[in-house]
Amino acid sequence: MRTQVAIIGGGPSGLLLSQLLNRAGIETVVLERQTRSYVLGRIRAGVLERGCTDLLRRAGCGARMDNEGIIHDGTNLSTVNGMFRVDFKARVGETVMVYGQTEVTQDLYAAQDAIGATIVHEAQNVALHDLTTDAPYVTYEKDGRSHRLDCDYVAGCDGFHGISRQSIPADRRTEYERVYPFGWLGVLSRTAPAAEELIYANHPRGFALASMRNPQLSRYYLQVPLSDKVEDWTDQAFWDELRRRLPAKVAEGMETGPSIEKSIAPLRSFVTEPMRWGRLFLVGDAAHIVPPTGAKGLNLAASDVHYLFEALQAAFGGDAAALDGYSDRALRRIWGAMRFSWWMTSILHRFPGQDDFDQKIQEAELYQLETLESAQAAMARNYTGLPY
Ligand code: RFL
Ligand code: PHB
């Protein structure tokens, strides 16, 4: 088999890139290790920046999002001293869209089906070959048979645990990492959201987040020690702890119910540089991970896709040099989001060993955010998305 761009991974990065390339007349084959229902069963991101929503529209899959997504003009932050709001629209004239990654992925699959794109599910043992030549190829197994896919370029969209990043020789990449000493326990429940907008809560017992997917579906998170197991947390224990960490007024009125999904995610910041090796380009979580606090993971995947799509389009139009700028352009924006999600994480969580001085600094940061328009503007600009 032969294609122009072999795309490893059928998560949001791979599907969005495939959709944009196909619509531009560039052929792709997506190789995904899992089944479609497995990919759609993962509950992840919930907040989309305008750059991401614009790109989804450009890919021809924005209709349901524009119907069902909820625009948020701001967000709430809760501290021991009460709750305050940062108004994105008033500070920087921007908003975000609340629309789940599951829905985004579903829309991308539907759009890919509609144009007859090739997505191979349950592709096992994917391996990349001859990446530094002008004739790279990919091998994989499906239903016990071996296959070879020749291509012009490979897009590594296979997430943090994929094989693309590992296909770059270790002495040719530099990795930067920060592992945080806690995780997020997330619960999805068929209940009305606790508030109209998200609430990020700094509490002495640990961070909490009240988020949502739609008017009947809520998503909540609690900071938990890394040693905790999902089985340790009954629904009742989760709701009791969440009530303690949210403002009393919100907690009183909060609807609770059985959890539909419950999982623990570790928090990590990670970047590999450069994001290119010969004809291989890394995209999204394959190249970088952010802690979820700033809601940046999926949004960064979208900006990578935007840069790579533009560069590939130029390359197939005869300007192969356009690909040389991909890694630097993407990394410039990635480090902006790295800084922001690290900062959001550091001001909102309780760290083991946090002393009174650290505590006072955190309170001072949050007080500035509450009272200084300039601090709010910087937060609002970063949260709603740095420019592409
Ligand atoms: P994905 O989604 O991990 O998809 C990679 C795909 O590659 C497949 N794969 C392989 N395929 C073939 N061969 C192999 N060897 C393969 N290895 C892996 C996998 O099966 C998978 O289908 O990466 P992608 O596409 O780059 O997308 C990144 C986003 O999924 C991720 O950044 C976000 O979910 C992060 N994130 C959030 N991002 C936001 O922008 N806003 C949020 O509000 C937000 N909240 C979150 C989050 C992530 C979370 N978790 C669980 C990590 C909340 C949580 C709790
Ligand atoms: C979510 O709704 O899953 C969500 C929202 C905001 C975040 C992280 C996760 O910062």
Side-chain angles (χ1 to χ4, degrees), residues 44 46-47 184 198 200 209 211 213 219 221 292-293 295:
R44 287 182 166 184
V47 179
W184 277 21
L198 273 61
Y200 287 88
L209 170 60
S211 182
R213 290 293 176 271
R219 181 71 165 156
Y221 297 96
T293 327

Short mmCIF file of all heavy atoms in Angstrom, two decimals, residues 44 46-47 184 198 200 209 211 213 219 221 292-293 295, ligand 2:
data_model
loop_
_atom_site.label_atom_id
_atom_site.label_comp_id
_atom_site.label_asym_id
_atom_site.label_seq_id
_atom_site.Cartn_x
_atom_site.Cartn_y
_atom_site.Cartn_z
N ARG A 44 -11.73 12.50 28.47
CA ARG A 44 -10.57 13.38 28.67
C ARG A 44 -10.97 14.84 28.65
O ARG A 44 -11.79 15.25 29.45
CB ARG A 44 -9.51 13.07 27.63
CG ARG A 44 -8.82 11.74 27.93
CD ARG A 44 -7.77 11.48 26.93
NE ARG A 44 -6.85 10.41 27.29
CZ ARG A 44 -5.81 10.10 26.56
NH1 ARG A 44 -5.56 10.77 25.45
NH2 ARG A 44 -5.02 9.13 26.91
N GLY A 46 -12.19 18.79 28.12
CA GLY A 46 -13.53 19.37 28.06
C GLY A 46 -13.58 20.81 27.61
O GLY A 46 -14.67 21.32 27.35
N VAL A 47 -12.42 21.48 27.53
CA VAL A 47 -12.43 22.92 27.24
C VAL A 47 -11.62 23.20 25.97
O VAL A 47 -10.45 22.86 25.89
CB VAL A 47 -11.83 23.71 28.43
CG1 VAL A 47 -11.81 25.20 28.12
CG2 VAL A 47 -12.62 23.45 29.71
N TRP A 184 -5.06 13.33 39.73
CA TRP A 184 -6.45 13.80 39.72
C TRP A 184 -7.37 12.59 39.63
O TRP A 184 -7.24 11.76 38.71
CB TRP A 184 -6.72 14.67 38.50
CG TRP A 184 -6.32 16.09 38.61
CD1 TRP A 184 -5.41 16.64 39.47
CD2 TRP A 184 -6.82 17.17 37.78
NE1 TRP A 184 -5.31 18.00 39.22
CE2 TRP A 184 -6.15 18.34 38.20
CE3 TRP A 184 -7.74 17.24 36.73
CZ2 TRP A 184 -6.40 19.58 37.60
CZ3 TRP A 184 -7.97 18.47 36.13
CH2 TRP A 184 -7.31 19.63 36.57
N LEU A 198 -16.89 26.86 35.16
CA LEU A 198 -16.02 25.97 35.93
C LEU A 198 -15.61 26.62 37.25
O LEU A 198 -15.53 27.85 37.33
CB LEU A 198 -14.76 25.64 35.11
CG LEU A 198 -14.86 24.45 34.15
CD1 LEU A 198 -15.92 24.66 33.09
CD2 LEU A 198 -13.52 24.18 33.50
N TYR A 200 -12.38 26.30 39.80
CA TYR A 200 -11.07 25.76 40.18
C TYR A 200 -10.88 26.12 41.66
O TYR A 200 -10.86 27.31 41.99
CB TYR A 200 -9.95 26.40 39.36
CG TYR A 200 -9.88 25.95 37.91
CD1 TYR A 200 -10.61 26.60 36.92
CD2 TYR A 200 -9.06 24.89 37.54
CE1 TYR A 200 -10.54 26.21 35.58
CE2 TYR A 200 -8.97 24.49 36.20
CZ TYR A 200 -9.71 25.15 35.24
OH TYR A 200 -9.62 24.75 33.92
N LEU A 209 -11.90 20.52 41.18
CA LEU A 209 -12.40 21.20 39.98
C LEU A 209 -13.82 20.73 39.69
O LEU A 209 -14.10 19.54 39.66
CB LEU A 209 -11.49 20.88 38.78
CG LEU A 209 -11.97 21.31 37.39
CD1 LEU A 209 -12.17 22.82 37.29
CD2 LEU A 209 -10.98 20.86 36.31
N SER A 211 -16.35 20.80 36.73
CA SER A 211 -16.47 21.07 35.30
C SER A 211 -17.72 20.39 34.76
O SER A 211 -18.56 19.90 35.54
CB SER A 211 -15.20 20.59 34.58
OG SER A 211 -15.26 20.87 33.20
N ARG A 213 -19.85 18.71 30.90
CA ARG A 213 -19.86 18.38 29.48
C ARG A 213 -21.07 18.99 28.80
O ARG A 213 -21.01 19.45 27.68
CB ARG A 213 -19.86 16.85 29.27
CG ARG A 213 -18.56 16.18 29.64
CD ARG A 213 -17.43 16.60 28.70
NE ARG A 213 -16.14 16.04 29.11
CZ ARG A 213 -15.31 16.63 29.95
NH1 ARG A 213 -15.62 17.81 30.47
NH2 ARG A 213 -14.17 16.07 30.27
N ARG A 219 -18.53 16.87 35.21
CA ARG A 219 -17.21 16.27 35.35
C ARG A 219 -16.52 16.94 36.53
O ARG A 219 -16.41 18.18 36.56
CB ARG A 219 -16.41 16.49 34.06
CG ARG A 219 -15.02 15.87 34.07
CD ARG A 219 -15.06 14.38 33.99
NE ARG A 219 -13.76 13.81 33.66
CZ ARG A 219 -13.42 12.56 33.98
NH1 ARG A 219 -14.26 11.79 34.63
NH2 ARG A 219 -12.24 12.09 33.63
N TYR A 221 -13.21 16.76 39.55
CA TYR A 221 -11.89 16.19 39.87
C TYR A 221 -11.48 16.56 41.30
O TYR A 221 -11.82 17.64 41.79
CB TYR A 221 -10.81 16.76 38.93
CG TYR A 221 -10.98 16.42 37.47
CD1 TYR A 221 -11.61 17.32 36.61
CD2 TYR A 221 -10.50 15.23 36.94
CE1 TYR A 221 -11.75 17.04 35.24
CE2 TYR A 221 -10.64 14.94 35.59
CZ TYR A 221 -11.26 15.84 34.75
OH TYR A 221 -11.39 15.56 33.41
N PRO A 292 -3.41 18.67 33.53
CA PRO A 292 -4.69 19.13 32.99
C PRO A 292 -5.18 20.47 33.54
O PRO A 292 -6.15 21.04 33.03
CB PRO A 292 -5.67 18.01 33.37
CG PRO A 292 -5.01 17.27 34.47
CD PRO A 292 -3.55 17.42 34.30
N THR A 293 -4.50 21.01 34.54
CA THR A 293 -4.98 22.21 35.23
C THR A 293 -5.28 23.39 34.30
O THR A 293 -6.20 24.15 34.54
CB THR A 293 -3.96 22.65 36.31
OG1 THR A 293 -3.33 21.48 36.83
CG2 THR A 293 -4.63 23.41 37.41
N ALA A 295 -6.11 23.09 31.09
CA ALA A 295 -6.95 22.62 29.97
C ALA A 295 -6.25 22.82 28.62
O ALA A 295 -6.85 23.29 27.65
CB ALA A 295 -8.31 23.30 29.99
C1 PHB B 2 -12.63 18.72 32.10
O1 PHB B 2 -13.80 19.13 32.01
O2 PHB B 2 -12.35 17.52 31.95
C2 PHB B 2 -11.54 19.67 32.43
C3 PHB B 2 -11.81 21.02 32.40
C4 PHB B 2 -10.81 21.93 32.72
C5 PHB B 2 -9.55 21.47 33.05
C6 PHB B 2 -9.27 20.11 33.03
C7 PHB B 2 -10.28 19.20 32.72
O3 PHB B 2 -8.59 22.35 33.37
#
